[in-house]
Amino acid sequence: AKRQRRGGTIIFEGAQALEMSRQKAVEEAFLTANLTEEISLFYQPIVDLVSGRCLGFEALARWISLTVGPVSPAQFVPIAEHTGRIGFITRHLLKMALEQAVNWPAGTFLSFNLSANDLTSREGVLRLIAIIEAGQVNPASIVFEITETAVMQDVEQARASVALLRQFGVGVALDDFGTGYSSLSQVHNMPLTKLKIDRSFVQNIETSAASQKIVRSVIALSQDIGLDVIVEGVETEGQAAVLKRMGAEVVQGFLYSEPMPAEMVQFWLEGGQT
Ligand code: C2E
Ligand code: CA
Ligand code: CA
Ligand code: CA
């Protein structure tokens, strides 16, 4: 039995070593990649819970490295941040998204993820605004998603950046709400337009009284202070039914569609299957 246990330890260490060398390989691949060629955007519908109508799409970055294969944005965005390339990537992706969204039906909004680093300077934010000005998409149809964690890195700077974006006319959503440490008072002082409830609260919403209470009160509070709520990560009809009873109005998740390539958006809107 002892030997087996030792064997288990060795296998575990082997897996850890493999994971570490994968991380190293990914970092190396990132530094030599032709990022503008290899990174693309997928789009996930954001829908009206009651009518099922598509209200907008969230752009999600996809990197297929020629050397290490597909790498999730959860893995490469942090690498882009600490190698100082995120600003360049954000601007490149924003230009691409604006080109791809140009033929969407009027009123369909584009939701676009920003990293914490994209909010740290006024100049950086002004460059994003300049890109939107140069594009063909109405700023009122654009929503930037920022995470609670990004806001908390420097609340004052984040507030100034959000204010600047709002002045220009784009919406700003607080992403992954409930997973960070922002207090409601800090959120309240930001000119946000939307809150996105993190999918961790949706996963067990049919069984967890705590998740139900949290989601119900966030929905009520948001409606009170005039914020739109998007509930993320809806995967089952059961979850959708619970959310409907709670008064949720806008949802996103695999139940409606997985993220799809830009070329599929038109087809999907016309009722095609993806
Ligand atoms: P996020 O902004 O919270 O995006 C939602 C993530 O949940 C996406 O993962 C999406 O594919 C996934 N998702 C959507 N519906 C469901 C569902 O029903 N169930 C489950 N299990 N997952 C669902 P993805 O595309 O891998 O992105 C991961 C994270 O990477 C994003 O989380 C976002 O923080 C970051 N990210 C993605 N694209 C960009 C980007 O262009 N720029 C920046 N700065 N970050 C990005
Ligand atoms: Ca997001
Ligand atoms: Ca999210
Ligand atoms: Ca997330």
Side-chain angles (χ1 to χ4, degrees):
K2 207 167 191 183
R3 201 176 280 163
Q4 263 182 347
R5 213 179 299 147
R6 277 197 63 177
T9 306
I10 290 163
I11 289 169
F12 179 65
E13 282 170 355
Q16 267 187 333
L18 207 68
E19 212 172 276
M20 273 177 63
S21 63
R22 160 82 182 170
Q23 173 68 20
K24 270 201 141 158
V26 168
E27 284 175 16
E28 237 172 72
F30 184 85
L31 290 175
T32 54
N34 185 349
L35 294 170
T36 53
E37 287 295 316
E38 296 174 20
I39 297 184
S40 63
L41 287 171
F42 272 42
Y43 293 90
Q44 187 178 35
I46 296 173
V47 307
D48 182 304
L49 177 57
V50 174
S51 70
R53 204 168 70 87
C54 176
L55 305 173
F57 291 90
E58 177 177 3
L60 293 159
R62 294 288 176 264
W63 176 31
I64 302 180
S65 158
L66 294 180
T67 50
V68 297
V71 182
S72 134
Q75 187 174 15
F76 75 75
V77 168
I79 299 174
E81 287 173 345
H82 70 70
T83 54
R85 303 254 207 128
I86 191 69
F88 167 77
I89 292 174
T90 299
R91 292 189 292 275
H92 169 71
L93 292 179
L94 182 59
K95 285 175 208 158
M96 182 152 65
L98 294 173
E99 280 169 27
Q100 292 173 336
V102 91
N103 291 320
W104 295 356
T108 308
F109 68 83
L110 164 70
S111 219
F112 186 90
N113 291 286
L114 295 183
S115 118
N117 300 39
D118 296 319
L119 299 171
T120 50
S121 81
R122 184 178 167 83
E123 295 68 50
V125 174
L126 289 173
R127 288 178 82 170
L128 299 179
I129 289 175
I131 289 170
I132 296 172
E133 278 182 320
Q136 309 279 306
V137 177
N138 184 347
S141 297
I142 299 170
V143 179
F144 282 126
E145 299 193 3
I146 63 175
T147 63
E148 263 189 309
T149 349
V151 168
M152 293 314 288
Q153 284 184 19
D154 185 343
V155 178
E156 278 319 305
Q157 182 56 52
R159 195 198 316 282
S161 297
V162 170
L164 190 56
L165 289 168
R166 293 285 297 122
Q167 233 177 348
F168 176 63
V170 304
V172 180
L174 191 62
D175 202 356
D176 300 348
F177 186 69
T179 58
Y181 295 94
S182 67
S183 72
L184 283 174
S185 61
Q186 275 149 342
V187 171
H188 172 75
N189 283 323
M190 297 256 163
L192 299 164
T193 55
K194 293 175 202 249
L195 276 189
K196 295 189 80 171
I197 300 182
D198 191 70
R199 75 176 142 89
S200 54
F201 299 103
V202 180
Q203 254 164 5
N204 53 10
I205 199 155
E206 289 167 278
T207 51
S208 156
S211 289
Q212 289 170 7
K213 279 182 189 161
I214 291 169
V215 172
R216 199 181 290 121
S217 52
V218 172
I219 291 172
L221 173 118
S222 307
Q223 287 171 346
D224 243 29
I225 60 180
L227 287 180
D228 296 336
V229 180
I230 299 176
V231 185
E232 295 192 287
V234 182
E235 294 182 355
T236 69
E237 296 286 0
Q239 292 165 347
V242 174
L243 289 166
K244 217 177 274 186
R245 283 200 296 276
M246 290 181 174
E249 290 170 340
V250 183
V251 285
Q252 180 178 0
F254 293 166
L255 177 62
Y256 307 97
S257 172
E258 291 194 15
M260 63 187 94
E263 312 84 72
M264 291 300 296
V265 166
Q266 204 60 44
F267 180 69
W268 186 86
L269 282 170
E270 285 160 9
Q273 296 295 305
T274 57

